[in-house]
Structure formats: C-alpha cells, structure tokens
C-alpha cells in the first residue's frame, strides 16, 4: 500500500493563484508515483472567488479536500484547521502563493523515507522579500532565540514535512494563541534540513503588513519565553541601587557643603524616567495577562462551515 501524503495550504484571498497552485502541484506530484496525495485547502474566510474556485477544482479532482472556515481566523488557525483535516501519513504545510517551491517535496519525501520525522526547508536566499522584511526577520530570530529556551531555526517557515506522529504531538498542544513556528520547534523529533530559494509571490499581495508582523513577533516571544516578565525585577533592583547610591551622595554633600537648593532638574528626570520604566513594566505584564485571559476562555481555534471532499482511495 502506498503512503498517503497531505499537502496543506491556507488560502486567504488567493483567487488569482488557485489555478496556478493546483497545476504546479499536479506536475510535481505526477512524478512521485510511489505515494498517494491529498490536497487539503483551507479557505480562511476569503471575500473573493477563492472558495468557489477551490470547490470547482475539488469537484473534478478527488484528491482535493476543501475546508471552509466561517470567517478569517488568521494563518495560524487556518493551518491548524488544515493539519486537523489532513489524514496523510506525512503532512506538508505550504503557502498557497507558491513562495515555497513544491519541487522540494520530492527531496522531503526522500528524507522522510530515510527516517526523518521532520524535514525542514530553510530559505537560503530571501532576495524576493523586501530589505526591511529580511532585516526585521533576522532581528526577530535573534531576539527570540536569545530569550527563549526553545530555539526556532532561522529562516525556516511553515513549509516542512511532518510525520503523522509529529502532527499528533502538535494536536496535543492545547493553546489557543498559536505561534506555529514555535510549536513546531517545541515538539522536537528527528529533524533534517533542506535549503531552498524563496520565490516571489505567484500572484496577489502579501497579507502581512508591518503591524501584523510586529504582533506576530510579540506572539512568538511571549508564547515561548517569560524573560520579558522577569527582566523588570532586575531593572527595578538596579534602579533602586542607583537611587540609594545617589541618596547617600546627596546626604553626604548636604552634610559637607550645607543646604543647596538647585537639583530640581535631576528630580524631574528621575521621576519621569522611573515613571516610564514602570509603565513599560505594566505594559509587558499586560501582554501576558491579556494572553492568559484569551487562553482562559477556551474558545475553539476555528469554526468550519463546511468541508468539500470525495472519499480518498487509499488502496492501490
Ligand atoms: N493567509 C491566511 N490567512 C490570513 C493571511 C494569510 O490563510 O489571514 C495565507 C495566505 O493565503 C498564504 C499564506 O497564508 O497562503 C502566507 O501568506 P502571505 O503570502 O500573505 O505571507 P508572506 O509570504 O508575505 O509572509
Ligand atoms: Mg507569501
């Protein structure tokens, strides 16, 4: 019996790219005759023709399985929905815009056959991304891996192969706020890394603005590290120590030189400085408390309106 491989892609307003996605994937998959494939496509509340195009393709191709979410839940939730719907012995999440070359799937499957449980795809050349995006990504990986004990490999996206056992491990992680890259790293498993060149989008525009990316980075750091919370006790201690030294200095100076009125500038500076440090500390606390609040509601990660699929033939 051939093994079943699920290719999972989230689609959010990708109408221009749907046809291209299936034709390119089909070409790749045709040459991989030792495996059966299913294409899990999650429609993440698109408001263009994406869904109807996906359904049209699913009607003529029994490998295609469409999961329709009730609204836009965001890429991480859409990907989770896809992983939950996938039934393959291996699952490969991929971007619908073909920025991850499907041609790499062949090498992934080879590595998997040799015993790897996770096959990572690392972007060696991101020249198709803007300078700012590359630099900020680099900075993010540095900061994240410095603070967190779970290291995310730099320049590795969601494009990877996951063995069924890995998917099951992922499904045991109950958190609502899903930073997939971090969760993928957290579960561990035997990992092999392949290199590839990041391509430009096949069609349409990126759905991630600077602000969205910033929040994504915050999500990543707060999900996997509590250092930003702890740093405040040290900063506070340091501040207290400095003020103690300064107080001693003032007392000594007053005793030696007598009463001296000027000094309101230093007072004001320290009031403003410590005020803002406290606000920062409270803000940081807020980031975590907010996340605790969201987690505590125990809402489902996504809601499926409907799925479209013909039964997959596994026997062959
Ligand atoms: N995506 C999604 N929901 C969203 C935003 C994006 O499902 O709210 C999908 C999008 O359709 C694409 C993938 O996530 O398949 C990556 O998005 P994009 O290409 O915009 O991100 P970038 O490659 O610029 O990081
Ligand atoms: Mg993209």
């Amino acid at each position: 019996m051939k093994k079943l491989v699920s290719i999972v892609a989230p689609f959010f307003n990708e109408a221009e790219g749907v046809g291209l996605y299936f034709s390119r994937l089909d070409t790749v998959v045709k040459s991989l005759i030792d495996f059966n494939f299913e294409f899990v496509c999650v429609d993440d509340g698109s408001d263009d023709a994406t869904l109807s195009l996906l359904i049209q393709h699913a009607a003529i191709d029994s490998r295609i399985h469409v999961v329709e979410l009730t609204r836009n839940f965001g890429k991480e939730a859409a990907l989770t929905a896809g992983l939950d719907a996938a039934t393959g012995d291996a699952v490969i999440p991929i971007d619908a815009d073909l920025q991850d070359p499907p041609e790499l799937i062949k090498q992934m499957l080879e590595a998997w056959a040799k015993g790897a449980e996770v096959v990572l795809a690392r972007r060696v050349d991101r020249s198709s991304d803007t300078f700012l995006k590359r630099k900020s990504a680099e900075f993010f990986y540095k900061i994240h891996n410095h603070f967190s004990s779970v290291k995310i490999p730099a320049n590795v996206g969601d494009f990877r192969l996951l063995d069924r056992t890995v998917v099951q491990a992922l499904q045991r992680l109950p958190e609502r706020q899903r930073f997939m890259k971090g969760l993928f790293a957290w579960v561990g498993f035997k990992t092999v890394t392949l290199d590839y060149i990041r391509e430009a989008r096949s069609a349409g525009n990126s759905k991630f603005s600077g602000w969205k990316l910033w929040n994504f980075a915050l999500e990543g750091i707060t999900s996997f590290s509590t250092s930003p919370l702890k740093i405040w006790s040290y900063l506070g201690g340091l501040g207290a120590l400095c003020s103690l030294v300064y107080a001693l200095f003032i007392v000594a100076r007053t005793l030696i030189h007598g009463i001296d009125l000027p000094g309101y500038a230093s007072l004001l500076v320290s009031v403003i400085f410590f005020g803002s440090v406290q606000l920062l500390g409270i803000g940081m606390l807020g980031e975590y408390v907010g996340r605790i609040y969201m987690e505590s509601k125990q809402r489902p990660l996504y809601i499926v309106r409907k799925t479209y699929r013909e039964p997959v033939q596994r026997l062959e």
Side-chain angles (χ1 to χ4, degrees), residues 14 95 97-99 129 133 198 201 205-207:
E14 302 281 1
D95 276 1
D97 58 12
L98 294 175
Q99 281 196 288
D129 284 332
K133 186 154 184 182
R198 183 101 167 138
R201 256 178 165 276
N205 294 317
S206 173
K207 313 297 184 283

Side-chain angles (χ1 to χ4, degrees), residues 7 9 22 38-42 54 58 61-67 81-82 84-87 306-310 312:
I7 316 266
F22 287 121
E38 67 168 358
F39 306 139
V40 179
C41 306
V42 181
L54 289 176
D61 189 337
S62 65
R63 295 170 301 178
I64 300 176
H65 174 190
V66 182
V67 178
D84 290 344
T87 56
K306 206 171 167 193
T307 55
Y308 306 83
R309 148 177 259 183
E310 289 176 30
V312 194

Side-chain angles (χ1 to χ4, degrees), residues 175-192:
E175 52 239 81
R176 318 282 118 177
Q177 320 239 256
R178 294 186 89 76
F179 182 66
M180 289 308 266
K181 280 182 204 199
L183 300 183
F184 284 147
W186 187 89
V187 293
F189 288 99
K190 251 185 284 164
T191 304
V192 171

Side-chain angles (χ1 to χ4, degrees), residues 12-31:
F12 177 51
N13 293 345
E14 302 281 1
E16 297 151 74
V18 172
L20 226 58
Y21 173 77
F22 287 121
S23 62
R24 180 118 168 244
L25 216 53
D26 191 52
T27 323
V28 170
V29 158
K30 253 189 204 130
S31 64

